[in-house]
Amino acid sequence: MLSFYTVIVSEVVLLMALLAFMANTNDMFSKDKKGQFLLLFSSVILGILAEWSGSVAGTFGGEYREVIVWTKMVELTVTPVVPFMCAAALQPAAHAPARNWWFPGILIVHTALEVLSAFGGFIYYVDADGVFRHGPLYWIYLITYLGGAIYVLWIGYRVSRQYQGKNKVMLILMLGFLLFGVAANQVDKSVKSAWLTVAIIVTLLYIFYNDMLQRVDVKTMLLNRTSCENLLARLRKPATILLLDIDSFRAVNEERGRAYGDQCLQVVGNTIRKVYGQHGKCGRINDDEFCVILDADKDATTTLNEQFLAALNARREEDPRLPHVSLGYARFDPARESVHDAEQAAASTLHYNKERNKIKHGPIPHAASQESTASPALALAASQESALEVLDTSELEDRAFIAYASTSKRSYLYLFNMSTGVSRWSPTAVSYFDLPGEYMYQANDIWESRIHPQDRQMFHDDIEKIITGRKQVHELEYRVKNRLGEYVVCTCRGVVLKGDGIKPDLFAGTIVNHGIIDEVDPVTSLHVNAEFAKSIHRLIEERTRACVVKVGIEHFRHINAMYGQEGGNQVLRLFGIELRDLVAGKGQVFRLEGAKFAFYLYDADQDETRKLFHQLRHVAESDIQINDLRIPLRIYGGAVRLDPQHPRNEHVVRSSLIYAMEQSLENYRNELVFSEDIKQIINAENIQLHAEIHRSAVEGCRNFFVCYQPIVSFATGKVIGAEALLRWKQEPYGVVSPDSFIPWLENNPAFIPVGNWILRQAIRETEPLRQVNSDFILNVNIADTQLKHDGFREDVLNTLADEGCAPERLCLELTERCRRLDPAFLEDELRFFRSRGVSIALDDFGTGMSSLALLLQLPVDELKVDRVFLLSALTDERSLTLLETIVQSARKAGLRTCVEGIETQEQRDLVASLGGDCYQGYFATKPVSIEGFVEFCRANWEA
């Protein structure tokens, strides 16, 4: 028996020595940790050798009694020390409180008693026959030993809990094994199992600790990437996959040091464990990325996310520098999708929210969002070798493909054989996007891996419909990463070319790279106005059924005034992101001038378009934030329905959009207004008419002519001026009413040359009248598009100079739409013209945007009182009082008054009695051509 026991002791000693060597060469252990394990294994060796020595001495009876006494003293002294050494090895990992001196004190007292027992037999003694006996205080040894064992198991449990419950079963088995070994040794002292049990427990402890290091991220005490991947791979029941990312973490490390970065990781990791730890498994999968697998539904996940963000905000009150964290999650259902699909959906949401956080919490200094590690698609791309030799390139060898691909730098061609899965790409695309080669297998996976995570799911879903035959046409806009790591905006259009049974189906198309040219708005990364015009032209040319919508943000200048230009740009950028997200996969989005956007929806009806507009309005009112401050936006919009049965001119479409937007702002309480729903319904005949008028405008204003309505003085009854009015005539339409085309023509850029033509033509035609009457004043209406035009000031002054007309003989009338311009801008423009001698009149005073406040701010010379006050002034006392008040107030303020719409002698006499200066109306004459007007003036002046 002694021989067998000796062999067991030798094996235990060698095992401890081997573990000590393994611990010393373990790269995962720190220097202190290596020292702790070395001391632990040495203590086990010392204890078991002391026990063996005492046992050997005991075989000789009482001859070596002193040897037995002192070896037992060493053994019993070392035994309780071992559990406390185990606890010390685990304690830093468990983040236990600061070291407590009670335990070392207990060990010192116990050691002293053991030494004294060698002389007095307090805890043990050895009789004359060399037999080991328990002393009266032996219970102190047992309590110390068992207390240490329980303490180390408690520390182990804390480690396991921090490691999210890993190896709990191992802890339970270790406790059972320890109790069994100690009990066996107490029942029969000849068993000699105590130190053997201790050695096995220490071995298991080393395995336990080493296993934790391999499963867990040491900095955050969360599961590491490998553990998370294994959990996801074994996921077989519905769960929520939550991804978290620390914003601008690279900048935090660069600017504040890695020590602070590690502190941030620990804070975020602890918060994740506290909030989510009871509901699922938490892990750190990258430098600044975390993953949580929750047994919770959407509502519970939302609640936990709110608790997490609230907890971080509470920590941020202590440390304002603590970075923000973006979240994205997706629900996994094994019956409907794969874990990979759920991960992609969660990643897409994460990157979307991360982009929003960049805007909300200000610019990110020196930080660029990190991409996730290599996906299966990238691995597939890397594994393709010598594609031209290995892949089946049948049906892809086409000289026309080579010709087109070689002559276009910003448009890339692709051709996909749907039978073999092999595709061919333009060499320029291969070079620009760093693709594996011109011929690729499963290129859709490779291309998808380069698409921006926010757009990836949209692309994946659309391509899947193409491959499965549920869709024949592919048209999407998304962002793709080029070889420099930059995302560029691309538009991809493709179509399935059906085979004949012998030849396979082909999926062919083009990818237009908008990032190469300067057609993308730098603020929102959306296409600009020029691209919008091209898209409208293409939709009409291809007879595509679609709804085109133009959206404006009301009073955006107030946002710029309150938050500055950078703040305003952040609002526009975030609004663009929200709009692009709503339209994704259904059409395209554009940034127009100022705070205006546009988009179109393929094959959408009015109800679908209105639904999306209402979603956008909700987002604008509730979800726009910068620097954690919510900024509600009020939007308005106009829409046009494109119907292949009734094709339109793109200029007419754009003008109709502007007109519908105005109606939305003025008469429809910011609801989306379709041009077809306005009282002036644009039917097929009107569409053709507008196209003809637009063609006339861009071809030198042919078929336009000017009519004149006299302005007559109340005091003298003589003509003192005229208002120039635009008309258009062409067969078979005849003379077209101005109300039929002027409202939308003023919205068209072509109105700039038309407005200049009206001014020049009217000055030129009335020159003979000014020679007869030097006080004759010509009134010309101006539109807001003219005032906003950069060259309008020069156009007016140059026309006056070219035609030899004094500025004092010209009066510019502000139409209703001009008064919607920014007051400060409008005031500045009017003061410029008045400083040059040109008079200013406020047209249609008393209606629309006209108010007494405008009179206080705008430098005007004349009020043209709308006929609405005159219509009931003869029969209604209140109307008469208002008319009198306007006329008298203007006179006292030094302003001329011209009352419009006088048609009878009675009306003329009434206004004259109130003190009006002059009038217009059919009572004098209706608008007439220049020949009729000259004749009317001569008769009036000669009378």
Side-chain angles (χ1 to χ4, degrees):
M1 181 177 178
L2 180 62
S3 176
F4 176 76
Y5 176 58
T6 302
V7 171
I8 293 298
V9 170
S10 301
E11 289 183 349
V12 170
V13 171
L14 291 175
L15 174 63
M16 293 298 104
L18 177 61
L19 289 177
F21 176 77
M22 291 172 62
N24 191 57
T25 58
N26 194 330
D27 293 335
M28 293 187 294
F29 288 177
S30 64
K31 184 178 180 181
D32 291 339
K33 189 64 62 179
K34 292 177 180 178
Q36 289 176 346
F37 274 106
L38 181 62
L39 184 60
L40 173 61
F41 299 142
S42 299
S43 299
V44 175
I45 292 174
L46 178 61
I48 198 167
L49 287 177
E51 182 190 53
W52 177 79
S53 300
S55 299
V56 171
T59 59
F60 295 96
E63 184 177 354
Y64 296 100
R65 179 180 175 279
E66 293 299 321
V67 174
I68 298 173
V69 170
W70 289 104
T71 55
K72 282 297 179 182
M73 186 272 295
V74 173
E75 176 193 351
L76 296 180
T77 300
V78 173
T79 300
V81 173
V82 172
F84 288 98
M85 287 185 177
C86 293
L90 292 177
Q91 195 173 30
H95 295 291
R99 182 174 298 173
N100 198 320
W101 291 104
W102 284 63
F103 301 114
I106 292 174
L107 292 178
I108 292 172
V109 172
H110 177 267
T111 301
L113 289 175
E114 294 287 355
V115 174
L116 291 176
S117 294
F119 301 99
F122 302 110
I123 295 179
Y124 71 93
Y125 64 93
V126 179
D127 61 17
D129 297 327
V131 179
F132 173 76
R133 305 291 184 182
H134 294 168
L137 300 180
Y138 187 73
W139 58 271
I140 294 178
Y141 164 77
L142 290 178
I143 291 177
T144 305
Y145 178 72
L146 293 177
I150 294 173
Y151 177 64
V152 71
L153 290 175
W154 176 68
I155 292 295
Y157 171 76
R158 292 192 60 183
V159 173
S160 177
R161 186 177 62 180
Q162 289 184 348
Y163 293 171
Q164 302 171 70
K166 288 292 182 181
N167 292 348
K168 283 185 177 180
V169 176
M170 179 181 284
L171 288 172
I172 296 173
L173 293 176
M174 288 169 64
L175 177 61
F177 190 90
L178 177 65
L179 294 176
F180 174 76
V182 173
N185 182 255
Q186 297 301 314
V187 172
D188 186 354
K189 297 181 177 57
S190 65
V191 173
K192 307 295 183 183
S193 62
W195 275 102
L196 178 60
T197 302
V198 170
I200 295 175
I201 291 295
V202 169
T203 304
L204 293 176
L205 180 71
Y206 176 80
I207 296 172
F208 170 84
Y209 188 83
N210 197 55
D211 181 67
M212 289 298 100
L213 290 182
Q214 294 180 10
R215 293 172 182 262
V216 179
D217 172 62
V218 178
K219 287 184 180 179
T220 62
M221 294 302 164
L222 301 177
L223 298 178
N224 58 23
R225 181 183 184 89
T226 301
S227 296
C228 288
E229 289 178 347
N230 291 337
L231 285 173
L232 289 171
R234 296 194 301 267
L235 202 57
R236 296 294 183 270
K237 62 179 182 178
T240 298
I241 299 176
L242 171 67
L243 300 179
L244 306 94
D245 191 298
I246 302 178
D247 297 336
S248 64
F249 187 67
R250 182 181 298 176
V252 171
N253 281 328
E254 291 177 353
E255 296 186 358
R256 297 165 189 163
R258 292 200 171 273
Y260 181 77
D262 291 346
Q263 179 183 338
C264 292
L265 285 173
Q266 293 172 0
V267 169
V268 174
N270 289 337
T271 307
I272 290 175
R273 185 170 54 252
K274 290 177 181 177
V275 175
Y276 301 105
Q278 300 299 320
H279 306 276
K281 304 298 183 183
C282 312
R284 179 186 175 203
I285 57 176
N286 211 336
D287 289 343
D288 56 352
E289 296 180 5
F290 302 83
C291 176
V292 180
I293 304 172
L294 293 170
D295 296 325
D297 57 19
K298 181 178 180 181
D299 293 337
T301 303
T302 301
T303 301
L304 290 173
N305 291 344
E306 292 173 353
Q307 294 175 2
F308 171 76
L309 294 176
L312 274 189
N313 288 334
R315 293 300 300 264
R316 199 170 288 112
E317 292 179 1
E318 303 173 7
D319 182 7
R321 301 178 302 170
L322 188 67
H324 291 268
V325 176
S326 299
L327 304 90
Y329 67 91
R331 186 69 179 166
F332 166 66
D333 186 349
R336 300 171 58 183
E337 60 186 347
S338 66
V339 173
H340 175 72
D341 292 337
E343 285 184 87
Q344 290 293 324
S348 177
T349 306
L350 170 66
H351 283 272
Y352 170 73
N353 290 330
K354 191 173 182 70
E355 193 166 347
R356 290 186 62 187
N357 276 354
K358 288 180 184 179
I359 299 172
K360 288 181 183 179
H361 306 306
I364 300 176
H366 315 299
S369 59
Q370 295 183 352
E371 293 299 316
S372 58
T373 56
S375 65
L378 291 178
L380 174 66
S383 67
Q384 297 196 54
E385 53 183 42
S386 304
L388 189 58
E389 300 176 5
V390 178
L391 300 179
D392 179 5
T393 61
S394 59
E395 303 299 330
L396 302 179
E397 299 289 343
D398 191 294
R399 298 177 67 183
F401 182 100
I402 300 174
Y404 181 86
S406 303
T407 56
S408 179
K409 293 183 178 180
R410 59 180 290 259
S411 293
Y412 315 120
L413 194 64
Y414 64 86
L415 190 59
F416 174 61
N417 188 323
M418 301 180 72
S419 296
T420 63
V422 178
S423 62
R424 184 180 185 183
W425 291 62
S426 297
T428 49
V430 173
S431 172
Y432 186 79
F433 294 106
D434 194 25
L435 298 175
E438 182 178 348
Y439 292 90
M440 291 179 284
Y441 178 65
Q442 294 183 358
N444 54 317
D445 292 335
I446 300 171
W447 186 246
E448 182 179 322
S449 69
R450 285 161 169 76
I451 294 177
H452 193 283
Q454 185 179 333
D455 303 333
R456 198 171 291 161
Q457 190 64 41
M458 171 187 69
F459 173 84
H460 179 85
D461 293 342
D462 202 71
I463 288 296
E464 185 179 12
K465 292 178 182 178
I466 292 289
I467 294 175
T468 57
R470 289 177 290 163
K471 192 175 181 182
Q472 301 297 313
V473 178
H474 169 73
E475 181 158 1
L476 284 180
E477 178 184 292
Y478 45 74
R479 290 158 290 176
V480 188
K481 186 168 64 175
N482 61 19
R483 66 176 182 274
L484 301 178
E486 305 165 334
Y487 282 104
V488 294
V489 178
C490 292
T491 300
C492 181
R493 298 186 181 94
V495 63
V496 176
L497 306 175
K498 303 298 291 185
D500 56 4
I502 299 176
K503 291 189 175 182
D505 293 347
L506 298 178
F507 177 46
T510 58
I511 297 173
V512 180
N513 185 344
H514 302 286
I516 294 180
I517 56 177
D518 191 21
E519 291 183 357
V520 175
D521 174 52
V523 175
T524 62
S525 297
L526 298 174
H527 292 310
V528 295
N529 211 337
E531 189 66 21
F532 177 56
K534 295 177 185 177
S535 296
I536 297 300
H537 177 79
R538 178 177 54 79
L539 290 172
I540 295 172
E541 191 176 60
E542 297 176 357
R543 292 182 173 271
T544 304
R545 189 184 303 275
C547 278
V548 184
V549 182
K550 188 173 181 180
V551 178
I553 302 176
E554 191 175 359
H555 303 309
F556 191 78
R557 64 177 181 274
H558 297 326
I559 294 176
N560 278 329
M562 294 173 63
Y563 304 103
Q565 183 176 359
E566 181 58 31
N569 285 344
Q570 290 185 16
V571 171
L572 292 174
R573 192 178 301 121
L574 186 55
F575 182 83
I577 291 173
E578 299 285 2
L579 178 56
R580 184 173 56 200
D581 184 59
L582 287 174
V583 177
K586 307 171 187 174
Q588 288 189 8
V589 181
F590 307 85
R591 160 87 189 282
L592 308 183
E593 69 282 352
K596 293 184 176 64
F597 295 78
F599 63 91
Y600 61 80
L601 302 175
Y602 291 114
D603 200 25
D605 56 24
Q606 291 192 8
D607 291 339
E608 293 176 272
T609 307
R610 283 196 171 93
K611 180 180 179 181
L612 189 143
F613 181 81
H614 290 159
Q615 292 173 339
L616 178 63
R617 185 165 62 185
H618 174 75
V619 168
E621 292 173 351
S622 307
D623 295 349
I624 305 299
Q625 294 182 346
I626 57 173
N627 298 326
D628 295 325
L629 178 64
R630 187 172 68 88
I631 302 177
L633 305 178
R634 184 171 172 81
I635 65 172
Y636 58 100
V640 172
R641 179 93 167 96
L642 299 184
D643 188 345
Q645 303 300 322
H646 303 94
R648 304 185 180 195
N649 179 286
E650 62 265 26
H651 302 291
V652 174
V653 171
R654 299 190 69 183
S655 300
S656 300
L657 282 173
I658 297 174
Y659 186 63
M661 284 185 70
E662 290 179 353
Q663 294 299 311
S664 170
L665 192 60
E666 294 176 12
N667 302 321
Y668 289 83
R669 299 182 180 181
N670 290 51
E671 286 291 339
L672 181 65
V673 175
F674 276 82
S675 61
E676 295 87 349
D677 295 339
I678 305 174
K679 290 182 180 179
Q680 293 180 346
I681 298 177
I682 305 177
N683 53 34
E685 182 179 350
N686 284 335
I687 293 173
Q688 185 62 36
L689 172 64
H690 290 176
E692 292 294 338
I693 292 176
H694 183 271
R695 188 175 296 111
S696 296
V698 298
E699 293 178 358
C701 298
R702 61 176 179 81
N703 297 329
F704 285 104
F705 65 98
V706 180
C707 287
Y708 301 88
Q709 186 170 41
I711 299 174
V712 182
S713 170
F714 280 114
T716 64
K718 302 297 183 183
V719 175
I720 60 174
E723 180 179 354
L725 302 169
L726 182 65
R727 298 292 186 267
W728 185 81
K729 179 181 180 180
Q730 178 177 306
E731 296 302 330
Y733 306 102
V735 178
V736 177
S737 169
D739 293 338
S740 300
F741 69 90
I742 287 182
W744 68 262
L745 183 59
E746 288 182 341
N747 293 318
N748 197 292
F751 190 74
I752 299 298
V754 173
N756 290 339
W757 179 87
I758 295 171
L759 180 64
R760 186 176 297 274
Q761 188 73 6
I763 291 176
R764 182 175 297 170
E765 290 183 343
T766 56
E767 171 60 22
L769 298 175
R770 285 193 297 277
Q771 292 180 358
V772 175
N773 183 355
S774 59
D775 294 330
F776 182 90
I777 296 179
L778 176 66
N779 286 35
V780 177
N781 292 290
I782 57 174
D784 62 331
T785 51
Q786 292 175 277
L787 277 175
K788 291 186 292 186
H789 181 55
D790 292 338
F792 181 62
R793 290 183 178 184
E794 294 181 0
D795 290 342
V796 173
L797 297 182
N798 290 341
T799 300
L800 290 171
D802 294 344
E803 301 299 329
C805 177
E808 293 76 12
R809 301 301 98 204
L810 176 65
C811 178
L812 298 179
E813 292 191 16
L814 295 183
T815 57
E816 166 66 21
R817 287 176 44 186
C818 290
R819 299 195 287 271
R820 294 196 212 106
L821 295 174
D822 180 72
F825 167 79
L826 186 58
E827 180 184 6
D828 185 59
E829 292 298 304
L830 299 187
R831 289 195 183 281
F832 170 82
F833 286 113
R834 289 194 75 215
S835 69
R836 300 302 192 273
V838 177
S839 300
I840 305 296
L842 199 61
D843 196 14
D844 299 326
F845 182 79
T847 63
M849 295 286 292
S850 297
S851 67
L852 293 176
L854 282 172
L855 293 180
L856 297 175
Q857 185 173 2
L858 299 181
V860 299
D861 303 283
E862 179 180 334
L863 297 185
K864 301 197 72 174
V865 183
D866 192 80
R867 66 192 299 266
V868 69
F869 294 99
L870 182 63
L871 292 176
S872 56
L874 292 172
T875 58
D876 182 70
E877 187 68 27
R878 178 180 297 181
S879 299
L880 177 61
T881 301
L882 287 175
L883 179 60
E884 182 180 12
T885 300
I886 293 173
V887 172
Q888 294 298 325
S889 298
R891 178 178 292 276
K892 291 179 181 179
L895 303 177
R896 296 191 306 272
T897 56
C898 177
V899 180
E900 299 176 303
I902 291 184
E903 299 179 357
T904 65
Q905 180 70 45
E906 189 177 13
Q907 290 176 335
R908 180 207 174 281
D909 294 342
L910 174 64
V911 178
S913 67
L914 297 178
D917 293 301
C918 54
Y919 70 91
Q920 278 180 249
Y922 279 26
F923 180 73
T925 182
K926 65 181 181 179
V928 295
S929 64
I930 184 60
E931 294 80 9
F933 181 66
V934 169
E935 184 177 346
F936 177 84
C937 289
R938 286 175 179 171
N940 176 268
W941 290 340
E942 292 174 358

